[in-house]
Amino acid sequence: MNKQSIYGLTLDQLTAWLSEYGHKKSRAAKVWDWLYRKRVTDFAQMDDVNKDCLQLLSEHFVIQTLTEHVKQESSDGTIKFLFKLQDGNLIETVLMRHKFGLSVCVTTQVGCNIGCSFCASGLIAKSRDLSSGEIAEQIMKVQHHLDAVGNGELVSHIVVMGIGEPFDNYENLLDFLKVVTDRKGLAIGSRRITVSTSGLAKKIKEFADADLRVNLALSLHAPNNELRTQIMKINRAIPIEQLMEALDYYFAKTNQKVTLEYILLRDVNDRKEHALELAQLIQDKRQFLKVNLIPYNPVDEHSQYQRTTRDSVSDFYDVLKKHQINASVRVEHGSDIDAACGQLRSKQMKKAEAN
C-alpha cells in the first residue's frame, strides 16, 4: 500500500498528528521548516529532528510520490513536466516565466469529466482526484528543479488551471491552498494564486464563504446558453443564469474581482456579435470583472476547432472596450511545445497504447 504524501498535511494537521503520538509541537515546526524552507527530499536529512519522530514519519508518510516522466522546455523558458503518480497515472504541471515572477500551473485530477469539446484534457474521463499532497508536490517538484539549477529562483505565483476541475476536488484543493500560503513554509501570498473553475455555481459560493482571498477565474467561453452548451456540456446542468447569480454572491461576500476566461474559436464564438452579447451579459457586473481573451491553441484531437485570426481578436477586444469592459489578451507561453492543457499527457498515453 502506498504511503501518503507528507505535503498533504497543513502545519496544524501535522502538529495535531504528531501530538497524538506524544511528540512536541516544536518538532512539527522543525519538520515543516525542513520540508519547505530547506526543501529536503528525505526524512534522514532532517538532522536536528528527534530520531523517533523521523522514524514515525517515515513509517506513515513519504516526501516524494511523483517521478518525472517527460520534461519539455520551450524557447521562451516555459517548462512542461509530465509526472507519474504512484499508481502509474500521468499528470501535467507547467512552469511559466513572467515579468512579475515564476508561475506554476498545477493539476487537480487524473482526467476530467467536465467535457469541454475543445480541450485535450477532457478526452480521458476522470479516474480519481489528486490528494492535497499530490497537488502540493507539483509545486515542490518545480521548486526542487529550480533549486538544482542554482540561480536562487523561487516559485512566486500559482494558477490552478491544469487537468481537472478544481472545485470537483474541493476539500483537497483547500488543504493545498493552506499549505502553499502558510507563512512558515512557501509563503506564497493568496493574491498570487488563481483558481479556475468551469462553473460549479454552488462551489463558487462555498469558496466565497471560505474567505481565502485567493483569486478566482471562471471559464465562460460563450455569451449564451445555446453556444456554451455546444462547447461545454456542463452548461446543461449549470446554465449561465446560475453562474451569474453565483458571481453576484461572490462579489457581495468577498468584494473581490473575478476573471472571465474566454477562449476564442474561429467562426464559433469569436464574432463581433458574440462580443456584444458578452458585454451586455456582464454590463451590470463590469466593475468586478476582467475578461481574459485566449486565442485557441489547435490540438490534433479537436480538429473541428481552429485558431481565431488576429483581426477577430482585435475586433472582439475593441467591442468589449467600447462597452467599458476591462479586457486583455493572454500572452502565450510554450507555443513551441505541447502547450494545450492535457496535450502532452494525451500524446504519451497514445505512445504507450501503440507499444
Side-chain angles (χ1 to χ4, degrees):
M1 183 176 178
N2 293 328
K3 296 178 184 178
Q4 180 183 347
S5 169
I6 195 166
Y7 292 129
L9 297 180
T10 67
L11 179 54
D12 286 344
Q13 289 169 344
L14 177 60
T15 302
W17 189 88
L18 284 175
S19 295
E20 288 181 7
Y21 287 89
H23 289 278
K24 303 174 184 177
K25 290 184 178 181
S26 60
R27 287 175 183 165
K30 283 186 177 182
V31 171
W32 193 263
D33 186 70
W34 278 104
L35 289 172
Y36 297 105
R37 294 294 176 89
K38 299 183 178 72
R39 295 191 289 277
V40 300
T41 57
D42 193 311
F43 289 118
Q45 295 173 282
M46 302 180 182
D47 56 23
D48 65 348
V49 179
N50 176 274
K51 290 184 179 180
D52 290 338
C53 178
L54 294 180
Q55 178 64 31
L56 178 67
L57 289 171
S58 64
E59 289 172 357
H60 290 84
F61 302 99
V62 288
I63 297 179
Q64 299 191 84
T65 66
L66 311 183
T67 56
E68 186 180 301
H69 187 68
V70 174
K71 181 172 67 178
Q72 292 181 326
E73 297 192 42
S74 169
S75 58
D76 66 10
T78 299
I79 302 178
K80 193 166 191 176
F81 299 89
L82 191 68
F83 292 124
K84 180 176 285 189
L85 305 173
Q86 286 180 306
D87 60 6
N89 277 301
L90 299 173
I91 60 170
E92 291 178 7
T93 307
V94 182
L95 170 66
M96 296 166 287
R97 293 185 175 274
H98 304 272
K99 291 181 180 179
F100 55 75
L102 300 182
S103 176
V104 176
C105 179
V106 298
T107 285
T108 54
Q109 295 178 315
V110 178
C112 184
N113 282 342
I114 297 303
C116 300
S117 61
F118 50 82
C119 180
S121 299
L123 290 170
I124 304 168
K126 185 189 96 171
S127 58
R128 71 173 178 88
D129 293 326
L130 294 188
S131 68
S132 54
E134 289 170 325
I135 305 172
E137 191 178 346
Q138 293 172 63
I139 301 297
M140 297 309 300
K141 280 289 189 184
V142 174
Q143 186 57 60
H144 290 153
H145 164 78
L146 295 171
D147 292 343
V149 172
N151 293 329
E153 294 181 309
L154 298 173
V155 174
S156 60
H157 293 70
I158 297 172
V159 289
V160 189
M161 296 182 181
I163 298 170
E165 164 55 59
F167 282 173
D168 190 35
N169 188 13
Y170 189 74
E171 295 303 325
N172 286 327
L173 170 69
L174 260 56
D175 279 347
F176 158 73
L177 293 173
K178 291 173 184 176
V179 167
V180 295
T181 56
D182 194 292
R183 293 183 180 181
K184 295 179 180 178
L186 293 177
I188 297 176
S190 58
R191 304 305 295 157
R192 294 184 173 189
I193 301 174
T194 300
V195 174
S196 177
T197 178
S198 59
L200 303 190
K202 291 182 179 179
K203 290 299 181 183
I204 290 173
K205 294 179 180 179
E206 198 171 332
F207 198 60
D209 292 337
D211 194 29
L212 296 175
R213 316 308 295 172
V214 170
N215 300 309
L216 178 65
L218 171 63
S219 295
L220 189 65
H221 306 319
N224 60 66
N225 282 321
E226 182 180 1
L227 184 53
R228 192 167 191 264
T229 300
Q230 176 185 328
I231 61 178
M232 299 177 71
K233 70 178 184 181
I234 190 176
N235 199 71
R236 298 171 191 165
I238 310 173
I240 288 177
E241 291 81 7
Q242 288 186 30
L243 294 182
M244 295 300 106
E245 192 269 333
L247 287 180
D248 286 337
Y249 182 92
Y250 184 89
F251 301 145
K253 191 76 176 183
T254 69
N255 200 37
Q256 287 185 229
K257 294 185 178 181
V258 171
T259 298
L260 291 185
E261 307 282 358
Y262 195 104
I263 289 180
L264 293 164
L265 306 167
R266 184 186 295 185
D267 298 327
V268 176
N269 66 350
D270 66 340
R271 302 187 184 114
K272 288 183 179 180
E273 54 263 37
H274 296 132
L276 178 58
E277 193 173 1
L278 177 61
Q280 293 170 341
L281 173 68
I282 62 176
Q283 190 66 32
D284 65 334
K285 301 174 177 57
R286 67 181 188 273
Q287 72 270 30
F288 285 109
L289 291 173
K290 173 185 177 181
V291 177
N292 190 14
L293 300 174
I294 309 167
Y296 180 62
N297 282 318
V299 296
D300 296 340
E301 298 87 348
H302 296 298
S303 58
Q304 74 271 33
Y305 295 123
Q306 300 299 319
R307 186 180 181 85
T308 191
T309 65
R310 289 187 178 181
D311 286 344
S312 293
V313 175
S314 180
D315 290 345
F316 202 105
Y317 175 85
D318 287 344
V319 170
L320 294 181
K321 296 302 285 188
K322 285 178 183 177
H323 287 80
Q324 299 179 309
I325 303 297
N326 185 8
S328 62
V329 179
R330 178 178 289 181
V331 177
E332 291 188 336
H333 294 272
S335 58
D336 56 338
I337 57 176
D338 297 305
C341 179
Q343 190 177 10
L344 177 58
R345 175 174 178 261
S346 178
K347 287 185 175 182
Q348 289 298 312
M349 292 184 73
K350 285 182 179 179
K351 286 182 181 179
E353 290 171 358
N355 292 332

